[in-house]
Amino acid sequence: MRVRSCTAIVLLAVLLGNEMIDTPRVLAESPTTSAVATTAPAPWFEQNQENFLELYRWLHQHPELSFEEEKTAAKLAEIWKQLGFEMTTGVGGHGIVGIMHNGKGPVVMIRTDLDALPVTEQTPVPFASTVQSTREDGSSTGVMHACGHDIHMTNVTAVGRYMSEHRDQWSGTLMIIGQPAEELGEGAKAMLNDGLFERFPKPDYALAIHVSADKPTGAISLMPGYSLANVDSVDITVKGRGGHGSAPHSTIDPIVQAADLVLSLQMIVSREVKPIEPAVVTVGSIHGGTKHNVIGDDCKLQLTVRSYSEEVRQQVLAAIRRRALAVAMAHNAEEPDVLISQGTPSLRNDDELTARMTKLFSDVLGVENMVPGEQSMGGEDFSRYGIAGVPILMYSVGSVDQSRLDRFEQLGIPAPSLHSGIYYPDAPETLKTAFTTMTASLLDLLQPSP
């Protein structure tokens, strides 16, 4: 990793610089723009790029975990307030809401997530995070924006500033939200439960981006319909009867039960779910026993379950419970504990909004930069705003320079994925594409009345 990153280190040092400041100058008035300027979005961004990169570097160096985003939220709230947004803080935890009324027209919401991950950063960038956090078990972990939320925050701030300085180009209401705890799948629900669409205008449209770790900068990807999955967690405690390892006949072995159950669970998707319906059942953790010659009393399994439709979701969860009970019965064991935690619902992009933005983005970026969308079994709680009745669109923005992707391919290894300690975006080009497309979408959706 060190060898193949040398060029990237030099490139980022040149493009981003090493200077870090405590207060990003994104608030400062630009010498090349004014509140009534009509500068096109792309040149305007290039003129002001360094201010936004300073904000990006600050956010990257100061990551905060889910529901702990106090400083992050305060920083953005202050910036957005100075841009002219009516700010409300503390919505659903550390969530923030900015409202800008600009005449008659629709309400359009753009959303960014605020939280980082318990991942120790191992990237070569000079502004790498050194933040540490203590886990519940007392161990220490690094904290890192390994999922691009720092890019997302910087992007909506840049978009918000452009829209504030160019109010003659649009009419309606712009709503910017900073959402906590996306990584837990809980932040959108918390904000909605705190009256997001009752205390503030309910949007006619909602937009969000997500960086992509395997697409080149300059490219975007979007698709109508389902694009991200239902995500559920299942905790199973298989119960046995402990004893000596030399006398298994006098025990009920929970580890053998668990092994039997793991194999049985693999039959759900392959033999119960229709082949054309996406679903995943993964046993991510299994823990049991204490010593070589001891048969324990229980064994614990942790599963992640992915699906798209609600019908398949309920089918798979019911099958997990049924098979766990059946295995226990086969072993003459006590009924297991099966705890299902329904998490993030599947994300479905609005068909009409997606078609409209696909045409717009093709005109703005060129069809050669439009990458066909693919369904993913990952999850995103942006989906909850769609379930609440708002037409939504989340689209992917490429974040890795093509030369880096080519180098990974030459080496025969995949590019680092999101949530990896060695993932980092090529920020200038990533932000330029995100800003250009999101600003274009707002100017299109908020067209002034003739």
Side-chain angles (χ1 to χ4, degrees):
M1 194 53 209
R2 291 181 180 274
V3 173
R4 63 176 181 270
S5 297
C6 290
T7 302
I9 296 172
V10 175
L11 179 61
L12 247 75
V14 172
L15 289 177
L16 302 185
N18 294 311
E19 179 188 6
M20 286 300 304
I21 60 174
D22 290 331
T23 304
R25 292 197 300 270
V26 68
L27 304 181
E29 295 182 3
S30 167
T32 57
T33 60
S34 70
V36 295
T38 57
T39 311
W44 180 92
F45 179 81
E46 292 175 357
Q47 293 166 1
N48 296 281
Q49 175 179 263
E50 185 54 34
N51 286 338
F52 301 123
L53 290 175
E54 287 177 359
L55 173 62
Y56 165 71
R57 293 192 291 267
W58 187 93
L59 292 167
H60 190 85
Q61 281 200 319
H62 298 82
E64 295 176 294
L65 295 174
S66 301
F67 286 129
E68 299 177 8
E69 312 93 337
E70 180 179 1
K71 294 179 181 177
T72 302
K75 176 72 71 176
L76 292 181
E78 179 61 25
I79 294 174
W80 297 356
K81 180 179 180 181
Q82 293 193 32
L83 293 179
F85 287 87
E86 300 171 12
M87 293 304 304
T88 303
T89 61
V91 181
H94 293 299
I96 57 176
V97 178
I99 302 291
M100 182 174 290
H101 298 289
N102 190 39
K104 296 182 179 180
V107 178
V108 181
M109 183 181 91
I110 56 176
R111 172 268 212 173
T112 181
D113 23 26
L114 305 176
D115 53 335
L117 288 158
V119 173
T120 300
E121 182 159 0
Q122 303 174 59
T123 73
V125 300
F127 49 89
S129 168
T130 58
V131 174
Q132 294 286 309
S133 180
T134 302
R135 295 189 178 97
E136 291 183 2
D137 63 4
S139 62
S140 180
T141 179
V143 181
M144 175 190 177
H145 275 298
C147 202
H149 295 186
D150 44 0
I151 290 284
H152 303 169
M153 288 184 276
T154 305
N155 175 61
V156 298
T157 302
V159 170
R161 177 173 161 184
Y162 181 89
M163 299 299 286
S164 175
E165 294 183 358
H166 298 81
R167 300 188 201 197
D168 60 314
Q169 297 182 10
W170 60 282
S171 181
T173 298
L174 177 58
M175 178 178 180
I176 304 184
I177 70 168
Q179 179 204 297
E182 184 278 327
E183 295 296 351
L184 297 180
E186 295 292 333
K189 179 168 64 175
M191 293 190 77
L192 288 167
N193 289 343
D194 201 11
L196 179 65
F197 292 161
E198 291 79 38
R199 297 165 58 187
F200 309 96
K202 186 173 182 178
D204 295 290
Y205 307 99
L207 302 166
I209 66 162
H210 206 296
V211 296
S212 172
D214 61 358
K215 293 182 179 65
T217 53
I220 65 167
S221 176
L222 67 165
M223 63 181 297
Y226 288 117
S227 61
L228 292 165
N230 296 306
V231 179
D232 297 297
S233 297
V234 182
D235 291 88
I236 302 175
T237 301
V238 172
K239 299 178 181 180
R241 185 173 65 237
H244 202 287
S246 66
H249 61 286
S250 65
T251 72
I252 298 176
D253 194 332
I255 292 179
V256 174
Q257 267 192 85
D260 196 357
L261 178 57
V262 169
L263 294 178
S264 179
L265 294 173
Q266 307 313 304
M267 299 297 106
I268 296 174
V269 174
S270 66
R271 288 298 176 267
E272 294 193 40
V273 177
K274 292 179 183 178
I276 60 173
E277 294 280 5
V280 171
V281 177
T282 294
V283 180
S285 172
I286 180 168
H287 291 278
T290 58
K291 196 175 185 295
H292 303 73
N293 61 350
V294 174
I295 294 175
D297 290 319
D298 59 42
C299 185
K300 300 181 184 297
L301 300 88
Q302 294 179 309
L303 287 62
T304 187
V305 183
R306 312 290 171 116
S307 58
Y308 278 115
S309 73
E310 187 62 24
E311 179 183 0
V312 171
R313 181 187 205 179
Q314 296 304 324
Q315 178 190 8
V316 172
L317 293 175
I320 291 170
R321 187 182 297 276
R322 169 169 42 82
R323 287 174 177 266
L325 292 172
V327 167
M329 185 177 293
H331 288 263
N332 197 29
E334 184 181 345
E335 183 176 310
D337 294 331
V338 181
L339 176 62
I340 298 174
S341 304
Q342 292 197 337
T344 304
S346 56
L347 188 149
R348 193 185 192 287
N349 284 328
D350 181 77
D351 293 343
E352 183 178 343
L353 179 60
T354 304
R356 181 174 176 176
M357 293 300 106
T358 298
K359 172 64 168 61
L360 177 67
F361 294 165
S362 297
D363 293 341
V364 170
L365 297 180
V367 293
E368 67 277 9
N369 291 311
M370 303 291 291
V371 178
E374 296 181 355
Q375 289 184 327
S376 166
M377 299 311 285
E380 236 290 352
D381 69 353
F382 185 67
S383 59
R384 292 189 183 275
Y385 305 117
I387 294 171
V390 177
I392 64 170
L393 171 63
M394 171 172 277
Y395 61 96
S396 297
V397 178
S399 68
V400 182
D401 185 85
Q402 185 63 59
S403 63
R404 288 174 62 203
L405 293 175
D406 292 342
R407 181 57 176 157
F408 288 125
E409 184 175 1
Q410 292 169 3
L411 293 170
I413 57 176
S417 68
L418 300 178
H419 291 212
S420 165
I422 58 175
Y423 163 75
Y424 65 94
D426 290 297
E429 287 302 315
T430 304
L431 285 168
K432 181 179 178 181
T433 302
F435 169 84
T436 301
T437 52
M438 185 166 280
T439 303
S441 68
L442 292 180
L443 295 177
D444 181 75
L445 294 170
L446 294 166
Q447 291 180 15
S449 301

